[in-house]
Amino acid sequence: MTDITHPRLRLRPKGGSRFRTGAPWVYSDELVLDRRTRALPAGTIVTLEDAERQPMATGAFHPTSKIAFRVLERMPDHAIDRAWLHAKIAHAHALRDHLFDAPFYRLIHAEADGLPGVIIDRFGDAVAIQPNAAWADLLIEDIAAAVMAVTGVSTVIKNGTGRARALDGLPEETTVLQGALDGVVDVPMNGAIYQADLLGGQKTGLYYDQRPNHAFAARLVRDARVLDVFSHVGGFGLAALAGGAAHATAVDGSAPALALAEAGAAKMGMADKFATRKGDAFDTMTAMAGEGARFEVVICDPPAFAPNKAAAEAGLRAYERVARLAAKLVAPGGYLVLCSCSHAADLARFRQVSTKGVHRAGRAAQIIHTGEAGPDHPVHPGLAESAYLKALFLRLD
C-alpha cells in the first residue's frame, strides 16, 4: 500500500475493453475528459478508475493524444519514481544479460518491457534513449540515472527524434546527457562489425531487431554475390560478408549511411568485397535490371511503408513493387529476402503482396523461412503492434 494519491481519470461506462484484457493503452474516446482532466499537463501520472470510480491502475495521461492513458502499473496510486524505474530496467537487463555475450542489444522495448513509449539501445559503454512519450520526456533524467545504475554505462544519449515524439507534441532534440562520445561506435554482431552513429544516425544509430534475420541470411550466402537494398549502415550486406559471401553491394539513399557501411567493411578487412550504390531503391533496382545485373541473394529491408492504418493500402502496394523489382535481380535458384517493419501490414497481408510481386516478375518461389525480431524486442501479449517485424526468405525458380 502507499499514501500516494494521483489525479483521477475515469473510464466511460463502456470504455476500456482492450485495457481489461491486457492492452497497455486506453484511447481518449474511452475516457471521461472534462475541463479538469483536460487541464492536466501532458505526461501527468494519474490513477485510472472504472465508471463506478473504483481505482484500477496507474499510468501516464496525455490530454490531446489519441493514446490518452498509458499503463505503467496495474495497481492504483503506485509511485512512479527512480526506484520504480530502476526495478523495471533491472528486470529488462536481466533478460538481455542472459541472452547475449556482449553488451550490444535493445535494453528497453517500450510497452513490452513495461516502459511505454521508451526505447533504449545499448552500445557497449553507451546507451541511446528515445523518450517517445511525454511522461518519459519529463522523467528523462531519472531514466538515465536508473540505466547507469543498472548497467554501469558511462555515456547516455537522449535521441529525441522521430514521428512518435511528434505525435506526443514533443520537440526534436538529440543531446549527450551523461559522459562523452568520441565519434561512431563499433558494434560487433553476427561476426560483422557495424558503425553506429549515436548522435546523427537514424533512430538510435543501428537496428538490432534484424539480428536473427541477418544470421539466417548468412546461411544462404556462401560464395554468393549479394545485393542489400535499403541497406542503411550495411545491415544484411556486412552480415553476408561475415557469412562467406563473395561480394556484397549495398544500395541506399543516404550517403552518410553508406559511408558507415564502407567503414564497417574496412574494419572487417573486407573492403575489396564490398561496394555501395547511392540512389532511390526503386530507381536503382530498375536500372540494375536494365543492366542485366543478377545476384545469388537479394535482400530488401525498406522503411515502414505502412506505419499506420491510413497508410496500409499504399504501403502494401509499395511492398509488392519492391518484391517485383527485386525478384528480377535474383539469379536462377537464388534467394530473395523481403522485410517489413510496418505494424499496420500484418504477416498474412505482407506475404500475400510479396508473393504477388514475385509472380508478377515472372518468377516461381517457395518460402523457406519466416523471420521476426530478436528476443531483445519482446512482444507485449496485449499489443499486436509490438510484433511489427516480418522477414520472408524465398528461393526462386
Side-chain angles (χ1 to χ4, degrees):
M1 297 296 291
T2 177
D3 58 2
I4 292 175
T5 301
H6 297 305
R8 265 36 190 173
L9 184 67
R10 193 165 78 254
L11 285 170
R12 293 179 181 272
K14 295 183 180 180
S17 58
R18 288 189 65 200
F19 162 78
R20 295 174 194 275
T21 56
W25 298 340
V26 178
Y27 292 108
S28 58
D29 59 4
E30 301 177 279
L31 296 164
V32 176
L33 298 180
D34 54 21
R35 184 182 301 175
R36 177 190 62 83
T37 53
R38 290 187 185 280
L40 293 173
T44 297
I45 305 302
V46 301
T47 285
L48 181 70
E49 298 177 333
D50 64 17
E52 286 72 43
R53 298 184 183 274
Q54 292 300 308
M56 303 175 72
T58 303
F61 175 62
H62 197 301
T64 62
S65 173
K66 181 180 179 182
I67 303 172
F69 179 81
R70 298 175 185 263
V71 180
L72 298 175
E73 282 290 343
R74 294 266 170 177
M75 292 188 296
D77 291 321
H78 199 285
I80 306 301
D81 52 18
R82 189 172 295 189
W84 178 84
L85 289 163
H86 188 284
K88 288 286 186 183
I89 293 166
H91 184 69
H93 179 257
L95 172 65
R96 280 69 174 183
D97 193 51
H98 181 75
L99 290 171
F100 300 106
D101 295 331
F104 298 89
Y105 43 69
R106 172 148 294 180
L107 174 61
I108 295 293
H109 192 50
E111 282 79 0
D113 280 305
L115 295 176
V118 180
I119 297 296
I120 304 178
D121 285 344
R122 184 172 182 183
F123 302 89
D125 191 40
V127 297
I129 303 175
Q130 283 191 308
N132 293 329
W135 78 271
D137 208 55
L138 291 173
L139 294 180
I140 185 62
E141 297 292 344
D142 287 330
I143 295 172
V147 169
M148 294 178 73
V150 169
T151 64
V153 300
S154 64
T155 299
V156 179
I157 310 299
K158 176 186 177 181
N159 185 315
T161 62
R163 189 178 65 91
R165 279 181 64 85
L167 291 174
D168 244 31
L170 300 171
E172 288 209 357
E173 55 177 345
T174 297
T175 185
V176 180
L177 296 177
Q178 295 288 341
L181 201 60
D182 183 20
V184 298
V185 177
D186 287 356
V187 179
M189 190 162 59
N190 289 322
I193 301 175
Y194 298 95
Q195 303 285 284
D197 182 358
L198 276 57
L199 292 175
Q202 293 180 29
K203 300 292 185 179
T204 58
L206 195 73
Y207 296 98
Y208 283 127
D209 54 0
Q210 289 282 21
R211 185 193 318 247
N213 299 317
H214 289 165
F216 191 88
R219 298 170 60 183
L220 309 175
V221 302
R222 184 161 300 279
D223 298 325
R225 295 163 296 167
V226 176
L227 179 64
D228 179 9
V229 186
F230 306 99
S231 69
H232 189 224
V233 297
F236 279 96
L238 297 185
L241 291 180
H247 190 273
T249 300
V251 174
D252 201 90
S254 167
L258 291 175
L260 290 171
E262 290 173 338
K267 283 269 186 177
M268 295 166 62
M270 296 184 178
D272 59 327
K273 295 183 177 182
F274 189 71
T276 62
R277 187 157 170 170
K278 180 183 179 299
D280 174 82
F282 296 100
D283 293 342
T284 302
M285 286 192 287
T286 300
M288 284 183 159
E291 296 161 7
R294 295 295 182 270
F295 303 84
E296 283 73 39
V297 181
V298 176
I299 304 157
C300 296
D301 183 17
F305 289 145
N308 51 54
K309 290 183 179 179
E313 292 306 316
L316 288 166
R317 289 193 295 272
Y319 287 123
E320 179 187 332
R321 187 182 176 205
V322 167
R324 176 172 56 83
L325 294 175
K328 293 180 179 180
L329 297 171
V330 180
Y335 299 93
L336 174 61
V337 184
L338 300 169
C339 305
S340 166
C341 59
S342 298
H343 67 77
D346 65 20
L347 176 59
R349 294 294 305 280
F350 177 62
R351 184 169 53 216
Q352 179 186 42
V353 299
S354 295
T355 53
K356 180 180 179 181
V358 171
H359 178 74
R360 289 185 62 197
R363 307 296 297 270
Q366 55 188 166
I367 298 174
I368 62 170
H369 178 66
T370 301
E372 56 189 7
D376 53 343
H377 292 65
V379 174
H380 189 294
L383 189 64
E385 293 92 331
S386 58
Y388 64 95
L389 184 64
K390 288 79 63 177
L392 299 178
F393 292 78
L394 303 98
R395 185 168 184 253
L396 303 196
D397 54 355

